[in-house]
Amino acid sequence: MKKTLIYAHRGASKIAPENTLPAYQLASESGADGLEIDVQLTKDRVPVIIHDESVHRTTNGTGFVQDYTLEQMKKLDAGSWFSTNFSDCSILTLDEFLCWFQPLSMVLNVELKTNVIEYKDIELIVYNALKHHQMLDRTVLSSFNLNSITKIHDIDPNVQTAFLTSTKRYNLEKFAKHHGASSLHVKYRLLDKRLVKQCHSISMPIRVYTVNRPLYMQKCFKLRCDGIFTDVPHEAVEYRQKFQNRGD
Ligand code: G3P
């Protein structure tokens, strides 16, 4: 029986600032199977790892990512908002992240943050970076924006894509497939036995976000979801082990 993969959501984001190198380093040491990163584009069109369109919440800056050049972006402190222990953290470029990640034997989920701002050509820019780092075979590219999914599918129909959604819809898995998605990433509250069965009946992996509570993890493991995204990868790995030992 295939196990449910554990993806560290923005890294080990409960114990280090999200989407920074320390968060990813800690997650890589946790025994998690994969990491999840969020990508946006700077003014000079460099893919950088940050969740929000604005730098306000997770740095000491203000304004939008798209209005910063990479040089300006690199000057921001991306750790002190979380704890002064992380005051030397800067925002990572996708290239820096992939150089670090490539030698690890983990899988990757890149979320294209195109649901608010449709960064021109972000799909091709990110695809080319993944190709350059020989990462295409162990990466899932996801987005809440179906246009991004369709664009990636058009660039390379063999690349793994996922439609991200928190909205219930009739025949969700078929809808996602129709737009070029090879998998489905759903908010936990959408998860039920029927949806997992429907996805698996068309060989579509289903992964669930953001799963931090043991009870919710248990439901995902029990239903044989293909993956979960969690802020607490260390706990999820331990909990999955316990679950497997019980033989449920
Ligand atoms: O990719 C799963 C999860 O990251 C989606 O939600 O808001 O964290 O981007 P959000």
Side-chain angles (χ1 to χ4, degrees), residues 180-199:
S182 55
S183 43
L184 194 60
H185 291 180
V186 293
K187 200 172 174 85
Y188 178 79
R189 65 177 158 79
L190 261 59
L191 179 68
D192 61 28
K193 199 172 173 177
R194 190 158 162 260
L195 183 60
V196 178
K197 212 173 150 196
Q198 283 175 196
C199 284

Side-chain angles (χ1 to χ4, degrees), residues 19 61 141-142 150 193:
N19 279 315
L141 279 155
S142 63
T150 307
K193 199 172 173 177

Side-chain angles (χ1 to χ4, degrees), residues 161-173:
T161 51
F163 176 46
L164 258 167
T165 188
S166 59
T167 311
K168 248 194 160 100
R169 170 187 280 273
Y170 178 68
N171 279 345
L172 182 54
E173 72 294 343

Side-chain angles (χ1 to χ4, degrees), residues 9-10 18-19 36-38 51-52 57 109-113 115 142-144 164-165 185-187 207-210 228-231:
H9 178 243
R10 312 179 195 174
E18 64 179 56
N19 279 315
E36 189 259 358
I37 67 174
D38 299 299
H51 180 271
D52 300 356
R57 183 177 61 86
N109 173 217
V110 178
E111 184 187 341
L112 299 172
K113 299 301 298 181
N115 44 318
S142 63
S143 182
F144 285 100
L164 258 167
T165 188
H185 291 180
V186 293
K187 200 172 174 85
R207 306 182 187 92
V208 187
Y209 70 91
T210 304
I228 60 166
F229 299 94
T230 181
D231 300 329

Side-chain angles (χ1 to χ4, degrees), residues 26 33-34 42 47 54 64 66 68 76 98 102 136 148 162 168 171 175 180 182 193 203 212-213 216 242:
L26 287 165
D33 308 283
T42 61
S54 151
F64 289 92
Q66 65 172 355
Y68 278 78
L76 298 177
L98 292 175
Q102 216 284 336
L136 286 173
S148 282
K168 248 194 160 100
N171 279 345
F175 174 79
S182 55
K193 199 172 173 177
S203 303
N212 291 338
R213 297 188 193 180
Y216 294 176
K242 276 188 195 153

Side-chain angles (χ1 to χ4, degrees), residues 7-120:
Y7 285 79
H9 178 243
R10 312 179 195 174
S13 54
K14 261 279 181 334
I15 55 172
E18 64 179 56
N19 279 315
T20 64
L21 193 57
Y24 290 120
Q25 274 163 338
L26 287 165
S28 73
E29 292 158 10
S30 70
D33 308 283
L35 302 182
E36 189 259 358
I37 67 174
D38 299 299
V39 174
Q40 322 233 8
L41 286 190
T42 61
K43 190 177 180 178
D44 41 354
R45 309 174 56 67
V46 180
V48 286
I49 303 183
I50 181 166
H51 180 271
D52 300 356
E53 290 70 28
S54 151
V55 299
H56 174 75
R57 183 177 61 86
T58 56
T59 76
N60 59 343
T62 54
F64 289 92
V65 175
Q66 65 172 355
D67 296 327
Y68 278 78
T69 62
L70 179 61
E71 199 186 340
Q72 292 166 334
M73 206 60 185
K74 276 289 182 188
K75 289 184 183 141
L76 298 177
D77 166 355
S80 291
W81 68 275
F82 187 87
S83 150
T84 47
N85 295 336
F86 297 101
S87 58
D88 57 348
C89 281
S90 63
I91 288 173
L92 286 170
T93 64
L94 177 61
D95 192 57
E96 287 166 343
F97 173 85
L98 292 175
C99 284
W100 168 79
F101 184 82
Q102 216 284 336
L104 306 178
S105 49
M106 295 181 91
V107 290
L108 180 65
N109 173 217
V110 178
E111 184 187 341
L112 299 172
K113 299 301 298 181
T114 47
N115 44 318
V116 178
I117 298 170
E118 295 208 44
Y119 298 100
K120 191 174 170 333

